[in-house]
């Protein structure tokens, strides 16, 4: 396959992954959604089925959908990324760029599907959480370690699938993602995929998800003297705006890449 074919296959597959994955988070978190407060397990299951659908759509390229999987295969010493696709600089770039582009587009379409619910939602943290992961306890080194561990598990088991006769393919990958989310997803929201976090985070930054509140909205009436009213800034308030939390963004990008590379190296000795 040429560069364009690889790019398109991975972009479509990752787009479906993020459309359904971002969609299930929006369904659970956003105001007035019929799935509101559906819970963590619903999110886990939704992401599992999102993986299942995405892998099938990107079947021509093996359905990596995840730079960490691509890097894991690269570090495993394999000769091909998928049947008939030799590992090279060009094919690696096609996979990675297709995944990032697809993640951005999938998140954007999910936003359009839930546009009215984003408009109704007043909690800016929930809006960001629809698009990007964030830690339950903010401790960068431990958050990074969690992403490394989760992604190592994901990629190592995926590489093991290639040596088993079951033929379950995407179904096995879907159950694996559900299992990782249910067991290791609590600390950081289990990005385990750099494209899954970075593409939607860029979408969050660019889309009109949140509207800045003008300074006047944070001013309250204050009585001065004998009933004369003036407006003064409310104590402790600032004009509110959109925050895509770029200070944390390196964790769900670098952590999965390191985890995927380590899994690929381990696979050389284990399988």
């Amino acid at each position: 396959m040429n560069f364009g074919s690889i790019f398109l296959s991975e972009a479509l597959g990752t787009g479906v992954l993020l459309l359904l994955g971002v969609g299930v988070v929006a369904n659970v978190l956003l105001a007035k959604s019929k799935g509101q407060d559906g819970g963590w397990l619903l999110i886990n299951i939704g992401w599992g089925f999102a993986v299942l659908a995405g892998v099938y759509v990107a079947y021509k390229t093996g359905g990596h959908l995840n730079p960490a999987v691509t890097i894991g295969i690269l570090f495993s010493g394999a000769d091909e990324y998928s049947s008939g696709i030799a590992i090279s600089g060009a094919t690696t770039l096609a996979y990675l760029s297709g995944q990032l582009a697809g993640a951005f587009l999938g998140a954007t379409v999910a936003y359009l599907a839930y546009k009215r619910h984003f408009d109704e939602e007043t909690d800016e943290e929930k809006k960001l959480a629809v698009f990007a992961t964030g830690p339950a306890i903010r401790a960068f080194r431990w958050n990074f370690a969690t992403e490394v561990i989760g992604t190592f598990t994901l990629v190592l088991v995926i590489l093991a699938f290639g040596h088993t006769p079951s033929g379950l393919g995407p179904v096995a990958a879907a159950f694996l993602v559900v299992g990782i989310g249910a067991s290791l997803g609590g600390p950081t929201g289990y990005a385990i995929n750099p494209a899954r976090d970075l593409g939607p985070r860029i979408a969050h930054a660019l889309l009109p998800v949140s509207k800045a509140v003008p300074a006047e909205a944070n001013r309250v009436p204050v009585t001065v003297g004998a009933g004369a009213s003036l407006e003064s800034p409310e104590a402790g308030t600032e004009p509110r705006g959109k925050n895509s939390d770029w200070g944390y963004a390196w964790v769900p990008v670098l952590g999965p890449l390191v985890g995927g590379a380590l899994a690929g190296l381990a696979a050389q000795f284990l399988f």
Side-chain angles (χ1 to χ4, degrees):
M1 297 180 70
N2 58 31
F3 184 100
S5 298
I6 296 171
F7 178 94
L8 182 60
S9 175
E10 287 292 312
L12 288 173
T14 311
V16 169
L17 167 67
L18 268 296
L19 170 61
L20 300 181
V22 169
V24 71
V25 181
N27 192 22
V28 170
L29 294 186
L30 295 182
K32 299 185 178 180
S33 168
K34 289 183 180 291
Q36 189 176 16
D37 298 325
W40 183 246
L41 189 57
L42 176 58
I43 291 175
N44 297 160
I45 293 172
W47 273 106
F49 281 114
V51 168
L52 177 69
V55 172
Y56 273 120
V57 170
Y59 74 94
K60 290 183 178 179
T61 49
H64 294 191
L65 316 182
N66 183 344
V69 172
T70 303
I71 295 300
I73 295 173
L74 176 65
F75 276 75
S76 73
D79 296 320
E80 294 181 325
Y81 280 128
S82 186
S83 179
I85 304 177
I87 292 177
S88 68
T91 56
T92 301
L93 180 60
Y95 272 95
L96 300 183
S97 58
Q99 291 155 4
L100 182 59
F104 173 83
L105 292 174
T108 300
V109 176
Y111 163 75
L112 295 175
Y114 280 89
K115 173 64 169 63
R116 293 301 301 272
H117 298 275
F118 277 105
D119 293 343
E120 294 285 340
E121 180 59 62
T122 58
D123 188 330
E124 297 301 321
E125 291 186 1
K126 285 184 178 180
K127 292 180 182 181
L128 175 60
V130 170
F131 288 89
T133 61
I137 300 174
R138 200 175 186 91
F140 286 154
R141 286 180 293 179
W142 290 107
N143 303 149
F144 177 82
T146 298
E147 286 294 331
V148 171
I149 292 168
T151 311
F152 178 89
T153 304
L154 172 73
V155 176
L156 185 68
V157 176
I158 286 175
L159 292 174
F161 289 161
H163 298 274
T164 61
S166 65
L168 291 174
V171 176
F175 278 107
L176 174 60
V177 170
V178 173
I180 290 173
S183 58
L184 297 174
T188 61
Y190 73 117
I192 58 174
N193 180 343
R196 174 264 172 274
D197 192 274
L198 182 57
R201 196 181 295 270
I202 293 171
H204 177 270
L206 296 178
L207 291 169
V209 176
S210 308
K211 295 181 180 179
V213 179
E216 289 74 12
N218 288 329
R219 300 174 73 86
V220 295
V222 175
T223 300
V224 180
S229 294
L230 299 176
E231 285 193 342
S232 176
E234 183 180 357
T237 63
E238 296 178 354
R240 299 190 302 274
K242 183 164 57 176
N243 177 14
S244 299
D245 196 13
W246 289 107
Y248 178 77
W250 66 272
V251 173
V253 172
L254 187 58
L257 290 176
V258 171
L262 291 175
L265 292 173
Q268 293 191 42
F269 301 98
L270 295 175
F271 309 130

